[in-house]
Amino acid sequence: MNINDYKKTIKVLEFLKRIQVEVDKEDIKNWLLGGLALAVEAGVIYRCHEDLDIIVKTDNDYRKLINIFSKLGIEKKDEKEIDGFLIYTYRSKNGVEIDISPNEYKFDLTNQDFRDGEKELAGVKSRILSKKYLRKFKELQYKTRGLDKDKMDWDCVNGRVIAVDGVAINSGYFDGLPTQTFKETIIER
């Protein structure tokens, strides 16, 4: 991952924070799923995340969330069908895409998959679905799509360490340096 990928993910998290402020005012419970949920679960940004995948339990919460989207200038972009269920894609003015679905226990979700507590990543708190469900969801994506990001997510959900060269982040003077240059510079100082 490079510094630009990290910044893209931070942009998505900051946007999620804006959404969370508004949904908390309306007492709308929502959960993350997908790659960003795994990053929150792991407590680390291990790859670029450019979108949000959100699920709510009820149609009523879905309608309330869509009203909040409208208030925030988030517009509906598309609809797609997955396993017979509609997923709605929205896009914010700053280019963040949000896939959202009212649940009604679609996609083999159970009550136990909806965790009560929040987890935090980069100062942003959110609810995420159970690790068991995220693992099942990512396994399906990895097998059907086979994208590089799906492989990274699959490795993460299975507890494999993701160690690749990248750039220094949150390292003050060293921010943006490639791994090898970072090591050499540290040794010289």
Side-chain angles (χ1 to χ4, degrees):
M1 183 169 72
N2 62 45
I3 192 77
N4 291 328
D5 288 344
Y6 177 81
K7 287 179 180 179
K8 286 178 188 175
T9 301
I10 292 298
K11 175 179 147 184
V12 170
L13 285 167
E14 288 171 352
F15 193 70
L16 174 61
K17 191 174 192 173
R18 284 185 54 210
I19 292 170
Q20 290 301 100
V21 166
E22 296 302 319
V23 299
D24 287 348
K25 290 177 188 174
E26 299 291 326
D27 194 33
I28 302 169
K29 291 204 174 10
N30 63 95
W31 289 261
L32 289 179
L33 67 155
L36 190 58
L38 290 173
V40 173
E41 173 68 31
V44 65
I45 299 170
Y46 58 87
R47 72 163 176 87
C48 182
H49 298 278
E50 299 180 281
D51 68 341
L52 294 168
D53 298 297
I54 298 175
I55 195 161
V56 294
K57 278 188 175 182
T58 67
D59 284 332
N60 187 45
D61 279 348
Y62 172 75
R63 283 189 293 280
K64 289 177 5 185
L65 186 58
I66 297 313
N67 286 334
I68 288 171
F69 283 4
S70 178
K71 180 179 167 181
L72 294 174
I74 303 169
E75 297 178 356
K76 187 173 179 181
K77 177 186 163 204
D78 197 8
E79 294 179 4
K80 56 189 167 192
E81 189 175 315
I82 299 176
D83 293 334
F85 302 111
L86 280 179
I87 306 293
Y88 304 97
T89 301
Y90 289 79
R91 182 185 294 268
S92 70
K93 290 177 183 175
N94 66 354
V96 175
E97 283 197 1
I98 306 163
D99 286 338
I100 182 167
S101 176
N103 168 51
E104 297 178 350
Y105 300 97
K106 300 171 183 173
F107 313 113
D108 296 325
L109 281 160
T110 67
N111 250 343
Q112 292 77 26
D113 291 319
F114 291 93
R115 293 181 178 174
D116 286 330
E118 294 179 321
K119 291 203 161 205
E120 187 173 328
L121 179 65
V124 179
K125 293 181 180 180
S126 59
R127 289 180 188 86
I128 59 174
L129 293 175
S130 72
K131 189 171 181 180
K132 178 182 172 185
Y133 182 79
L134 292 174
R135 185 178 194 286
K136 184 167 91 173
F137 181 75
K138 275 299 159 180
E139 180 178 27
L140 175 67
Q141 285 188 318
Y142 181 49
K143 287 180 177 178
T144 58
R145 296 190 314 189
L147 302 174
D148 286 344
K149 68 181 187 175
D150 296 328
K151 168 80 169 101
M152 291 177 80
D153 291 343
W154 183 242
D155 287 344
C156 178
V157 79
N158 285 296
R160 294 186 189 101
V161 175
I162 300 170
V164 294
D165 283 348
V167 295
I169 298 170
N170 292 330
S171 301
Y173 172 80
F174 305 103
D175 277 359
L177 293 179
T179 301
Q180 189 57 40
T181 305
F182 177 83
K183 290 176 184 176
E184 291 166 0
T185 306
I186 287 266
I187 292 168
E188 289 173 8
R189 292 187 136 226

